[in-house]
Amino acid sequence: MTKGFRTFLIIWAGQLVSFTGSGLTGDVTDIHFLGTALSGNRSTHLNNNGAASFGQRRQTMKTTHVRIALAIVISIASLITLLGASHALAQDPIGTAFTYQGQLKEGGALANGTYDFQFALYDAATGGSQAGSALALDNMNVSDGLFTVELDFGDAFDGNERWLEIGVRRGDETGAYTTLAPRQKLTAAPYALYVPGFWKLGGNSGIGPGDYLGTSDNRSLELRVDGQRALLLMPDAASPNLVGGYSGNEVTDGVYGAVIGGGGGGENFRHPNRITDHYGVIGGGHGNTAGNDDSDPENAEGATVSGGYYNDATGHASTVSGGTENEATGSIAVVGGGSGNVARGNGSAIGGGGMNVTGGESATVGGGYFNIAGGDSATVGGGYVNFADGQYATIAGGEGNRAEGKLATIGGGKGNRANAAYATIAGGGPMDPSGHPNTTHNAVY
């Protein structure tokens, strides 16, 4: 009595799909299956003649000769679904077992009864070496053609390619298995077992309070794009460091709580962003430094450079918002932008402009060019080459004005001097009328 068996494992997008090929009776002559494992809907047609093509071993099993063919398609979606991947990051680990479902036909009809299966992993499509131990599952129930088995090869998935070899025989027989060909390449889905608690493309659901993505030891974690580091997460018991952007961006050893949002590199990749003191922040740009780079990581902590090029925030809790080649060296000093500005006084501020300096504590320069607020709490609103050197002195604008007296004020104009305490000059000038006979000489001593 000669019988023919057809077995199809067709699970696609989480659904069992019935797929029928041509009739198989007697010797195997024609097998259809949906591509190789995990290759999609590419139809593959194999013609095989008899046991020689399949390398089958003929053996008398009581009075029945068996010809069995198995075609397998494993899909990522089905395996993830069958594993309950929506709970893959639950507190209980996923383990290394996965569910394998198939459809068995005998003589063109759905099979019913018990069958023995043997599964083995290899490191090559043909020949090669077996990985792990073979799994023998006897007397597996097949109902209306469907069977389900759970396979657990332990740590046999180590990141290298694997092929699954399958043997089948009737459950009431004790002879050798019929080895089916070709072996089926396993890709993607079983390799989720290589990283228990895997994270799916497209995201996961059912995340528990204790679930996380990252390391569990005192090691840094890198995220890369195109092989280049894009984000470095550095552990620290006090506060971790986050370093984004150019791979040359750096946080000084021993510093914690630092954040570099990105940027760095610049022309010829020679201009990284650097943080040298605790809790420093650099938002982006390149060639920027937050911290004073001395041996004490605490005396300039909390320094911030939001962006721009070659800016330095070296004072405690100082800030440079942007621009280029600006410096905030005083404690809590601020430079809003511009170019070449230096906020030296503690608590001093420069709004923008170029080449302005605040030397006094809490002094302010709003903008302009080459202005200096040297007195404590002195103010220069703008203009060009103005000097407010007196305590609480104010120059609203103009050019070449100087207010040296305490609480002295110059509203504007050019070349005016308010050197006496409380002196006020509304504007006009210049100070020397000999060269300018039609102007007023304004000077208060």
Side-chain angles (χ1 to χ4, degrees), residues 364-367 371-374 377-390 392-404 407-414 416-418 425:
T364 301
V365 174
N371 297 304
I372 297 177
S377 301
T379 301
V380 177
Y384 177 68
V385 197
N386 296 303
F387 301 90
D389 297 326
Y392 308 114
T394 300
I395 300 175
E399 176 185 347
N401 298 304
R402 183 183 292 272
E404 296 181 347
L407 291 168
T409 301
I410 298 176
K414 179 178 180 181
N416 298 301
R417 298 287 186 271
I425 299 175

Side-chain angles (χ1 to χ4, degrees), residues 277-302:
D277 288 68
H278 300 323
Y279 303 110
V281 175
I282 298 177
H286 69 245
N288 299 309
T289 301
N292 58 17
D293 202 15
D294 64 7
S295 59
D296 184 356
E298 298 183 356
N299 57 11
E301 66 180 19

Side-chain angles (χ1 to χ4, degrees), residues 207-223:
I207 306 302
D211 297 331
Y212 66 92
L213 181 65
T215 62
S216 59
D217 55 10
N218 190 31
R219 300 290 295 274
S220 296
L221 175 65
E222 283 191 6
L223 298 181

Side-chain angles (χ1 to χ4, degrees), residues 243-313:
V243 183
Y246 173 50
S247 60
N249 291 338
E250 63 176 296
V251 175
T252 299
D253 289 343
V255 169
Y256 52 77
V259 175
I260 299 178
E267 183 181 0
N268 299 321
F269 305 102
R270 293 178 297 178
H271 310 287
N273 293 317
R274 300 174 59 246
I275 295 179
T276 66
D277 288 68
H278 300 323
Y279 303 110
V281 175
I282 298 177
H286 69 245
N288 299 309
T289 301
N292 58 17
D293 202 15
D294 64 7
S295 59
D296 184 356
E298 298 183 356
N299 57 11
E301 66 180 19
T304 300
V305 177
S306 298
Y309 304 150
Y310 315 115
N311 297 306
D312 297 328

Side-chain angles (χ1 to χ4, degrees), residues 82-151:
L82 292 169
L83 285 169
S86 61
H87 302 289
L89 295 180
Q91 293 184 5
D92 293 333
I94 189 174
T96 56
F98 61 94
T99 300
Y100 191 90
Q101 189 177 58
Q103 185 183 82
L104 179 66
K105 288 187 176 182
E106 179 179 354
L110 296 175
N112 286 279
T114 58
Y115 296 83
D116 298 339
F117 295 89
Q118 181 174 267
F119 301 87
L121 284 179
Y122 284 84
D123 60 5
T126 58
S129 300
Q130 185 172 333
S133 301
L135 303 178
L137 303 178
D138 294 337
N139 297 317
M140 301 304 299
N141 185 57
V142 177
S143 177
D144 293 328
L146 295 179
F147 68 91
T148 301
V149 295
E150 185 174 275
L151 303 179

